[in-house]
Structure formats: C-alpha cells, structure tokens
Amino acid sequence: MEKATILLVEDEESLASFVKTELELEGYQVIWVQDGRAALEAFNHGSITLILLDWMLPVYDGLTVLRRIRQSSDIPIIMITARSQTSDISMALDQGLDDYITKPFEIEELLARVRVIIRRLNQSKPASHDYQFGPFHLDLLKHQFAVNDQAVHLTPKEFALMLALMEQPGTVLTRDDLLNQIWGYDFDGQTNTVDVYIRALRNKLGDYRNLIKTVRGIGYQLEANHNEA
Ligand code: CA
C-alpha cells in the first residue's frame, strides 16, 4: 500500500514540527504549510490523502479552507481547534468536516484519529491497484511486480498468475480456477500448464518461492510461512 500523504496546515512552528515528526514516525509522508493560501495550493497540487487543518491561520482561516476544498473534494479533513472555537465546530461539521481535535491535545489521540480515517479510506477503496503480501508488491496500474522493493520481471501470464494469488491471499485456487481466469474457458492445452507456470514463477521469487504453497491434489495458495525461516 502506498504511503498516505498528510497535508499539515499549522502556523505554530513548534507544534507543527512536533506533529510532523510524529506523523513521519508512523510512516506517513507530511507536507507542512503555514497559511490558508498555501494549504489550498498544496491541495490543488494533488496526491494528498488527508488534511490536518488548524482553524486560526494567516491569509485564510481553516474554515475558509474547508469550505473551498469541499466545493470540489471530499478528502478527509481533521481540524485542530482552540477551546474558544468549540462552539463553532458543529457548523464546520455541517460543512463537511470529518473530525476535530482541541488544543492542547495528546499526540497519541491525534495519531489515533488519523489512523482511523486512513483505515476507513483503505477499506472503502472499491478496487485496489496495489497488492502487498509479505515481501511481494504488485502494482496493477504500472504493471510492476517487486520482491522486497526489487523489481522482478514477470511475463504477462506469470503476472496474471501472481495477481490471482495476491487478490485472494490464504485462499486455495484450484488449477481449474486459474486456467479459467488466466487462459480462458476455451483453453484446450495441457492440464499441467498451471504447474509449469507456477514453477517458472517460483523460480523468480528466490528465497520467497515457498510463499506459493502447493495444496496437494487441489491447487495453489499464497500463504505466509509461519514455521519456516
Ligand atoms: Ca494557528
């Protein structure tokens, strides 16, 4: 899964650099800007997953930024508010704010709120283009496959086979399932075709070849090695 990018809009430098560091430790990429206009520019630039938005900001305040962004996007926004704004928060929620946290806050609480939203985003993604299983990473859009971040070239059939396995990790796929899915129902070649391709695929996986398990008499399955090194 790709790293989430968080746009942090906060003009208090010490707070911002603390929050930025904590988010980065959690594995997020962070873009930090200090005023409302820069926030809109960074947002328009694209590839932001979530926005952490301070309310009181130079140029445009957080509420203005929220309204502008909501005209075109439902990107998750968590607002950072001071106590004095809590009475206005229901208005912001009405305008599409997802969540808020009141200063001063515990960093763990902020991180938890971010995590909840990111998890929800990942679950609601209709169709993934990105599959991860242990050391394997398959990017459907770029048609790339990598083992531990090292690109591994797969033929189109090997790629399709890997995709089928990675779409349903832990599920046993029968030879017929795989033949139908990858070669098509009217395929009239050898029944051991799947085995031949699985062997070729395993040869490209090096030390991780055993993550593709043979389920005797049935088919194949992608499964984590719990007992083996
Ligand atoms: Ca502020």
Side-chain angles (χ1 to χ4, degrees), residues 131-188:
Y131 298 88
Q132 185 82 42
F133 181 85
F136 304 154
H137 179 230
L138 184 147
D139 185 328
L140 196 51
L141 287 183
K142 295 183 186 153
H143 213 80
Q144 287 170 348
F145 177 71
V147 178
N148 282 335
D149 296 327
Q150 294 284 317
V152 174
H153 177 74
L154 301 181
T155 65
K157 286 280 189 284
E158 290 165 357
F159 189 88
L161 202 48
M162 200 66 213
L163 174 63
L165 291 164
M166 288 185 75
E167 276 177 331
Q168 293 174 277
T171 303
V172 180
L173 299 172
T174 67
R175 287 180 177 79
D176 279 347
D177 288 338
L178 291 167
L179 272 178
N180 291 338
Q181 196 172 329
I182 296 162
W183 281 268
Y185 285 91
D186 52 359
F187 176 77
D188 58 358

Side-chain angles (χ1 to χ4, degrees), residues 36 40 53-55 57 59-71 79 95:
L40 291 172
L53 181 63
D54 187 28
W55 189 302
L57 288 168
V59 194
Y60 306 130
D61 67 8
L63 195 58
T64 305
V65 172
L66 170 72
R67 285 185 180 133
R68 295 268 182 99
I69 288 176
R70 278 292 172 266
Q71 288 170 0
M79 241 164 151
Q95 305 212 356

Side-chain angles (χ1 to χ4, degrees), residues 20-183:
K20 181 173 186 287
T21 303
E22 291 290 326
L23 289 168
E24 286 169 346
L25 286 172
E26 293 271 303
Y28 304 116
Q29 286 185 324
V30 180
I31 296 172
W32 171 34
V33 297
Q34 304 190 53
D35 68 64
R37 185 189 294 139
L40 291 172
E41 283 167 3
F43 169 72
N44 288 329
H45 204 260
S47 13
I48 307 285
T49 315
L50 177 151
I51 302 176
L52 279 177
L53 181 63
D54 187 28
W55 189 302
M56 294 300 287
L57 288 168
V59 194
Y60 306 130
D61 67 8
L63 195 58
T64 305
V65 172
L66 170 72
R67 285 185 180 133
R68 295 268 182 99
I69 288 176
R70 278 292 172 266
Q71 288 170 0
S72 66
S73 166
D74 56 2
I75 186 171
I77 300 178
I78 301 178
M79 241 164 151
I80 303 170
T81 71
R83 291 237 176 270
S84 56
Q85 281 124 17
T86 42
S87 56
D88 297 325
I89 205 74
S90 58
M91 178 177 59
L93 289 167
D94 280 343
Q95 305 212 356
L97 181 65
D98 295 273
D99 200 357
Y100 68 97
I101 190 160
T102 306
K103 288 178 188 174
F105 52 82
E106 295 292 329
I107 189 69
E108 284 307 326
E109 189 185 346
L110 178 65
L111 295 176
R113 283 165 192 260
V114 168
R115 222 176 285 134
V116 164
I117 288 185
I118 302 271
R119 195 186 310 136
R120 202 186 299 147
L121 277 181
N122 289 335
Q123 284 167 350
S124 62
K125 255 183 207 157
S128 177
H129 302 295
D130 227 31
Y131 298 88
Q132 185 82 42
F133 181 85
F136 304 154
H137 179 230
L138 184 147
D139 185 328
L140 196 51
L141 287 183
K142 295 183 186 153
H143 213 80
Q144 287 170 348
F145 177 71
V147 178
N148 282 335
D149 296 327
Q150 294 284 317
V152 174
H153 177 74
L154 301 181
T155 65
K157 286 280 189 284
E158 290 165 357
F159 189 88
L161 202 48
M162 200 66 213
L163 174 63
L165 291 164
M166 288 185 75
E167 276 177 331
Q168 293 174 277
T171 303
V172 180
L173 299 172
T174 67
R175 287 180 177 79
D176 279 347
D177 288 338
L178 291 167
L179 272 178
N180 291 338
Q181 196 172 329
I182 296 162
W183 281 268

Side-chain angles (χ1 to χ4, degrees), residues 133 210-211 213 222-227:
F133 181 85
N210 292 333
L211 293 183
K213 290 230 166 24
L222 208 53
E223 198 186 46
N225 276 325
H226 295 296
N227 305 320

